[in-house]
């Protein structure tokens, strides 16, 4: 161990190449063979001591340990050994409360409050199909209300374990592969393209900035469609009505649905604009577009402290990531990782100087590019960025998502 050269990236090194780990030391390599031997001796000594204890002491110690474990589980929001007792890694609590107040119920499970148009849209769908509001749009649009709408529909009440044998993790409920923590799915459509509609918010303590669309089987792009669900639905339908490929019979269904939607929205004074004044105001605060195109907003003071750009163009960054993801060997990947490691080091400098936006930008870009080989860097960058920005709910979401990230649609309430 003493002959190893120190890796210049230290604890921020993400190389997994065995040869690199043999040749270079890292801060995590503090436990030498000698130390391991000492630990082994210590363990043997503990065993010897324990064998001399009375049965009473053993029982007392076991009881004490059990109490500590139970207290730790109750106090901890994230259980690392959750897989064994049926919960998710990265779960926020166990047996989440289900208060009678539906708004509070949703907040407990999804960590965020829903805007008023969310409840108004449920009211509209109940008007269309009282017995089954979540499917009120299916025959005309092929859309289904999902995510937090499932709480309004009462689908959570009888589910203690899902088809995976664990308690539902609502932070993963209808979270698609490219959904960043800022995006919460509430409507699903075409399964082939994995079309879904959701709220996008810059901060978990704020109401959504807009309603956007993503097709997870196609790309990571999040496209704003309006300030609320009514506006988004109307604008998406407008696009389809203008399309020459839309069949006449479908156009009739779309027009009929849209007329009912517009009438309801007008009765509630709900904006249907594609770009509202608040959305335009938000666009002025966007510090960078990121790979998903919706951009990020972070606090920047009068001295421009809060954000500095990633020192690579999006095109060049994608080329770097492509080389890493498509590397044929560990040695090749190790070499291709070098430029990204340099940027991660710069992010650390930026964090030290309170420019937290750079780490958020790079983390989001790596997440949006996709690829499990990039997850260790995302796991370092994004939770830290959200923590530094005070967006702790997003930190919980990204940690949970990376633990169970899948190309498949995740319905946590399936039994």
């Amino acid at each position: 161990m003493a002959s190893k050269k120190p890796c210049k990236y230290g604890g921020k090194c993400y190389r997994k190449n065995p040869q690199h780990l043999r040749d270079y030391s890292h801060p995590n390599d503090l436990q030498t063979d000698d130390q391991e031997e000492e630990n082994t001796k210590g363990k043997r000594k503990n065993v010897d001591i324990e064998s001399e204890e009375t049965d009473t002491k053993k029982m007392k110690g076991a009881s004490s340990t059990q109490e500590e474990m139970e207290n730790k589980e109750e106090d901890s929001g994230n259980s690392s050994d959750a897989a064994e007792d049926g919960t998710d890694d990265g779960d926020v609590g166990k047996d989440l409360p289900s208060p009678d107040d539906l708004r509070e119920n949703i907040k407990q499970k999804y960590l965020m409050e829903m805007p008023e148009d969310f409840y108004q849209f449920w009211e509209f769908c109940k008007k269309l199909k009282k017995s089954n509001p979540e499917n009120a749009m299916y025959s005309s649009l092929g859309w289904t209300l999902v995510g937090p709408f499932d709480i309004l529909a009462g689908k959570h009440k009888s589910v203690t374990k899902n088809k995976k044998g664990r308690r539902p993790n609502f932070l993963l409920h209808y979270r698609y592969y490219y959904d960043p923590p800022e995006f919460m799915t509430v409507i699903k459509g075409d399964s082939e393209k994995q079309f879904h509609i959701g709220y996008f918010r810059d901060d978990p303590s704020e109401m959504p900035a807009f309603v956007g669309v993503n097709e997870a089987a196609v790309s990571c792009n999040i496209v704003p469609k309006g300030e609320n669900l009514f506006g988004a639905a109307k604008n998406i339908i407008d696009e389809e009505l203008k399309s020459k490929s839309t069949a006449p019979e479908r156009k009739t269904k779309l027009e009929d649905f849209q007329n009912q939607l517009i009438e309801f929205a007008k009765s509630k004074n709900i904006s249907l604009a594609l770009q509202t004044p608040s959305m335009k105001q938000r666009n002025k605060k966007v510090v960078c577009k990121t790979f998903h195109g919706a951009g990020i907003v972070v606090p920047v003071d009068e001295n421009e402290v809060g954000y500095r750009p990633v020192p690579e163009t999006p095109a060049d960054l994608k080329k770097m990531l492509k080389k890493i993801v498509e590397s044929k060997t560990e040695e090749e990947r190790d070499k291709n990782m070098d430029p990204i490691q340099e940027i991660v080091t710069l992010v650390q400098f930026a964090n030290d100087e309170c420019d937290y936006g750079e780490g958020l930008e790079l983390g989001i870009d790596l997440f949006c590019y996709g690829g499990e080989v990039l997850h260790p860097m995302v796991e370092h960058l994004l939770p830290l960025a959200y923590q530094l920005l005070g967006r702790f709910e997003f930190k919980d979401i990204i940690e949970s998502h990376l633990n169970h990230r899948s190309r498949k649609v995740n319905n946590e309430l399936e039994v």
Side-chain angles (χ1 to χ4, degrees), residues 126-184:
K126 280 178 72 174
K127 192 174 179 182
L128 296 178
K129 195 170 186 176
K130 188 175 182 180
S131 62
N132 194 6
E134 59 268 35
N135 287 317
M137 301 180 290
Y138 191 78
S139 60
S140 52
L141 285 85
W143 296 356
T144 306
L145 300 179
V146 295
F149 276 120
D150 283 343
I151 305 301
L152 298 186
K155 292 184 178 180
H156 65 293
K157 290 183 178 178
S158 59
V159 181
T160 55
K161 288 189 177 182
N162 58 26
K163 68 178 183 180
K164 297 169 185 173
R166 47 182 168 77
R167 293 186 184 95
N169 181 348
F170 291 91
L171 303 186
L172 297 173
H173 190 43
Y174 280 98
R175 184 155 293 280
Y176 290 71
Y177 187 81
Y178 288 114
D179 290 351
E182 291 84 353
F183 192 76
M184 181 192 291

Side-chain angles (χ1 to χ4, degrees), residues 8 35 64 93 101 107 147 173 194 234 263 288:
K8 65 178 179 178
Q35 288 173 311
S64 175
D101 185 293
K107 185 179 178 181
H173 190 43
Q194 294 189 349
K234 191 254 181 194
E263 183 182 349
C288 63

Side-chain angles (χ1 to χ4, degrees), residues 196-215:
H196 56 291
I197 300 170
Y199 288 108
F200 187 99
R201 60 185 98 202
D202 297 300
D203 191 297
S205 65
E206 300 172 355
M207 286 298 169
F210 64 83
V211 173
V213 167
N214 171 252
E215 293 177 329

Side-chain angles (χ1 to χ4, degrees), residues 16-33:
K16 304 299 181 185
N17 182 0
Q19 188 59 51
H20 174 79
L21 297 178
R22 282 194 293 268
D23 292 344
Y24 294 89
S25 66
H26 303 79
N28 293 334
D29 296 336
L30 293 176
Q31 192 175 55
T32 63
D33 292 339

Side-chain angles (χ1 to χ4, degrees), residues 56-72:
T56 305
K57 283 186 178 181
K58 281 184 181 180
M59 291 175 65
K60 184 178 179 181
S63 174
S64 175
T65 302
Q66 183 63 35
E67 272 185 23
E68 288 174 8
M69 288 174 64
E70 288 174 355
N71 290 336
K72 186 177 180 181

Side-chain angles (χ1 to χ4, degrees), residues 118-126 133-134 145 149 152-153:
F118 170 82
Y119 300 99
Q120 291 170 325
F121 203 82
W122 179 254
E123 183 185 341
F124 168 64
C125 288
K126 280 178 72 174
E134 59 268 35
L145 300 179
F149 276 120
L152 298 186

